[in-house]
Amino acid sequence: MENVVAHYIDGKENLGESDRSSNVYDPGTAQVTRSVVLGTSLDVDSAVASAHQAFATWGKTPLSQRARVMFAYREVLERNVTNIARVISNEHGKTLPDAIGEVRRGLEVVEFACGIPQLQKSQYSEGVSREVDTFSIRQPLGVVAGITPFNFPAMVPLWMIPVAIATGNTFILKPSEKDPSTSLLLASLFSEAGGPDGVFNVVQGDKTVVDALLDHSLVRAVSFVGSTPIARYIYGRASANGKRVQALGGAKNHMVVLPDADLEAAADAVVSAAYGSAGERCMAISALVLVGDIADKMIDLISDRIAKLHIGYGIDEGVDMGPLVTAEHRDRVASFIETARKDGARVVVDGRDHKVASEAGFYLGASLIDNVTPGMAVYDNEIFGPVLSCTRVADSNAALELINSNQFANGASIFTRSGSAARYFQSEVSAGMVGINVPIPVPVAYYSFGGYKDSLFGDTHVHGEEGVKFYTRGKVVTQRWVHESRRGVDFGFPQT
Ligand code: NAD
């Protein structure tokens, strides 16, 4: 099984029922390194059966014991941070420090979930009426599923798994088929940490597996992270089947630079946020909004920094940016540069001219495009690559209007020295996550992550308190222990 990425069902690897598979590449060399099985609905059936059986015990396991499994999971993950990061870098292409960063951000959600005895506490009101008390409890849902994208093969699954499992559910992960190996490490390390068989399962595959999960009557909730068209589809199909759904979609994150900002700091921030992970982050800055007369200066500062970027193999030392995930994706991203030129934008730096673009591997240099306006394909689409578009506007109201007219609303940030301008922006901008002098405002684990509009279908964000709510359902109990002196039939409607 060494070169085949299998499922993980009932505590062990399993090749399943399928005769279909897909190649897994090292994007830095363009070599096929492994293949991944593409599961069938029968594989989903066996994962659901295992998870359903495990739920009977896990859902009733005391809170402190569930927390202990999370503490142990944290320890084994901590010991394996670099191993996991290497696997990520090999299949995704991102640099090793970046991959280590994503594992650490995922680990923070495991740490959050260690506090489940406190997080799953409810409320109690003594004496809502004479001898009547009311209290609420939150119970797990049962078998829940997570469907995740290629760009964070550890962090995004770890947004879901710890919270879902700590609250007493059992979990089935359907990872991206582009970089599937990390999912097996996450699952086997859970077993190593003492996680019971069947509590955390992985079914590899594509649409066939996703649809089987969306349609399975025992799957109670679905968390999805990926592109907007698929998020919309998942939300529609799973909610029509009566499931609870949170479906996070794509993004076009804007960063506004006001004339009073520290321009050197803003240039450092935008270069890191636009080109880090080759722009394949849902919170990457892809649209820079330059306010007033600073635009020429900012374009120069960014161009200088692009010239110094080291682009190459993700595991090599000193590399800032690795390749894109597949050849098709690299070609799609590159096509936007050409279209931008035809649409009348100014291509200041063309990533296709970088010498790395001619090497084996799915490389593309960083691109900078100026004078971009809405209506151009490079602005209207999520590109998900190392392409930064710059739009010039006259004032901060025009910047806000631009952002608030966009179909996506994941993150938005502002760079300024003015507290009142920042405060106005945070209040008026339509985005789920806002940064003030922070380009990528990904919330820490004890807050929740998510956007608005086409960036999220459903109404709960992931992890944090909203995650706990998503994976549990409430019940309110009203109890009366009546004193014998007050017994008697009462035909009135109960009142307080
Ligand atoms: P994708 O939508 O292509 O795939 C996501 C998942 O859906 C994968 O597991 C894939 O196998 C499955 N899938 C793909 N096509 C399907 C279909 N037709 N039917 C059913 N399932 C299908 O996304 P991707 O390319 O892996 O990831 C990049 C996208 O994810 C970007 O749009 C990015 O913005 C988004 N993303 C969003 C967030 C967020 O928090 N909002 C975070 C990370 C990534």
Side-chain angles (χ1 to χ4, degrees), residues 148-151 174 177 207 224-227 249-250 282 382 384 449:
T148 54
F150 80 83
N151 67 322
K174 203 307 279 176
E177 60 276 41
K207 182 172 168 52
F224 172 86
V225 177
S227 60
C282 54
E382 178 184 42
F384 220 56
F449 182 109

Side-chain angles (χ1 to χ4, degrees), residues 230-241 245 457:
I230 311 298
R232 189 181 275 117
Y233 166 75
I234 300 275
Y235 182 75
R237 186 154 174 169
S239 52
N241 284 332
V245 198
F457 301 87

Side-chain angles (χ1 to χ4, degrees), residues 254-368:
H254 293 66
M255 172 172 145
V256 178
V257 185
L258 295 190
D260 70 349
D262 175 341
L263 298 189
E264 296 278 348
D268 288 340
V270 74
V271 167
S272 317
Y275 306 118
S277 198
E280 291 171 328
R281 290 180 181 143
C282 54
M283 289 289 277
I285 295 295
S286 52
L288 181 65
V289 189
L290 299 169
V291 178
D293 59 5
I294 56 163
D296 290 340
K297 170 88 178 151
M298 276 299 289
I299 295 287
D300 287 348
L301 292 175
I302 296 168
S303 305
D304 291 349
R305 283 159 175 77
I306 290 177
K308 293 183 191 132
L309 289 182
H310 294 287
I311 305 172
Y313 193 67
I315 293 192
D316 290 348
E317 237 168 82
V319 170
D320 299 308
M321 186 178 118
L324 286 134
V325 69
T326 59
E328 299 73 44
H329 186 53
R330 188 256 330 266
D331 295 346
R332 178 178 182 274
V333 172
S335 74
F336 281 104
I337 308 168
E338 196 49 44
T339 315
R341 194 194 307 274
K342 286 188 187 135
D343 285 346
R346 184 169 74 98
V347 180
V348 182
V349 183
D350 189 331
R352 296 171 300 174
D353 297 337
H354 196 286
K355 63 178 183 338
V356 82
S358 58
E359 286 178 15
F362 311 135
Y363 294 101
L364 184 65
S367 295
L368 178 65

Side-chain angles (χ1 to χ4, degrees), residues 74-415:
R74 188 209 166 274
E75 292 305 304
V76 289
L77 286 172
E78 182 66 50
R79 281 200 298 276
N80 283 280
V81 167
T82 310
N83 293 343
I84 301 169
R86 279 185 174 276
V87 171
I88 294 172
S89 186
N90 274 326
E91 292 186 357
H92 175 287
K94 66 175 72 174
T95 67
L96 194 57
D98 193 24
I100 289 174
E102 93 153 87
V103 181
R104 292 220 165 275
R105 289 306 294 263
L107 248 171
E108 288 177 12
V109 185
V110 181
E111 288 166 355
F112 168 74
C114 289
I116 200 62
Q118 178 68 19
L119 293 165
Q120 216 168 330
K121 269 187 185 167
S122 298
Q123 293 174 315
Y124 189 102
S125 300
E126 185 190 29
V128 296
S129 184
R130 192 184 282 274
E131 291 156 339
V132 180
D133 308 318
T134 293
F135 58 94
S136 59
I137 49 184
R138 296 207 70 87
Q139 297 182 312
L141 307 174
V143 180
V144 299
I147 300 156
T148 54
F150 80 83
N151 67 322
F152 284 110
M155 185 184 77
V156 168
L158 287 172
W159 282 352
M160 307 166 184
I161 297 159
V163 185
I165 290 179
T167 46
N169 302 282
T170 54
F171 194 86
I172 300 174
L173 172 66
K174 203 307 279 176
S176 169
E177 60 276 41
K178 290 179 188 139
D179 47 11
S181 299
T182 304
S183 64
L184 285 188
L185 262 178
L186 295 180
S188 57
L189 292 173
F190 182 76
S191 296
E192 193 179 318
D197 293 351
V199 170
F200 176 7
N201 306 277
V202 180
V203 184
Q204 309 287 353
D206 54 11
K207 182 172 168 52
T208 307
V209 168
V210 172
D211 287 349
L213 287 168
L214 302 181
D215 293 345
H216 203 296
S217 60
L218 287 176
V219 173
R220 307 282 184 217
V222 175
S223 299
F224 172 86
V225 177
S227 60
T228 289
I230 311 298
R232 189 181 275 117
Y233 166 75
I234 300 275
Y235 182 75
R237 186 154 174 169
S239 52
N241 284 332
K243 301 183 196 316
R244 196 175 277 203
V245 198
Q246 50 181 187
L248 282 68
K252 191 84 183 175
N253 305 303
H254 293 66
M255 172 172 145
V256 178
V257 185
L258 295 190
D260 70 349
D262 175 341
L263 298 189
E264 296 278 348
D268 288 340
V270 74
V271 167
S272 317
Y275 306 118
S277 198
E280 291 171 328
R281 290 180 181 143
C282 54
M283 289 289 277
I285 295 295
S286 52
L288 181 65
V289 189
L290 299 169
V291 178
D293 59 5
I294 56 163
D296 290 340
K297 170 88 178 151
M298 276 299 289
I299 295 287
D300 287 348
L301 292 175
I302 296 168
S303 305
D304 291 349
R305 283 159 175 77
I306 290 177
K308 293 183 191 132
L309 289 182
H310 294 287
I311 305 172
Y313 193 67
I315 293 192
D316 290 348
E317 237 168 82
V319 170
D320 299 308
M321 186 178 118
L324 286 134
V325 69
T326 59
E328 299 73 44
H329 186 53
R330 188 256 330 266
D331 295 346
R332 178 178 182 274
V333 172
S335 74
F336 281 104
I337 308 168
E338 196 49 44
T339 315
R341 194 194 307 274
K342 286 188 187 135
D343 285 346
R346 184 169 74 98
V347 180
V348 182
V349 183
D350 189 331
R352 296 171 300 174
D353 297 337
H354 196 286
K355 63 178 183 338
V356 82
S358 58
E359 286 178 15
F362 311 135
Y363 294 101
L364 184 65
S367 295
L368 178 65
I369 306 182
D370 193 10
N371 295 327
V372 171
T373 54
M376 293 183 182
V378 72
Y379 181 82
D380 291 347
N381 292 279
E382 178 184 42
I383 297 174
F384 220 56
V387 178
L388 177 65
S389 301
C390 303
T391 301
R392 298 173 178 230
V393 297
D395 54 36
S396 54
N397 281 334
L400 261 176
E401 210 176 297
L402 179 78
I403 299 174
N404 291 350
S405 311
N406 200 277
Q407 70 179 108
F408 298 109
N410 220 33
S413 65
I414 187 165
F415 277 66

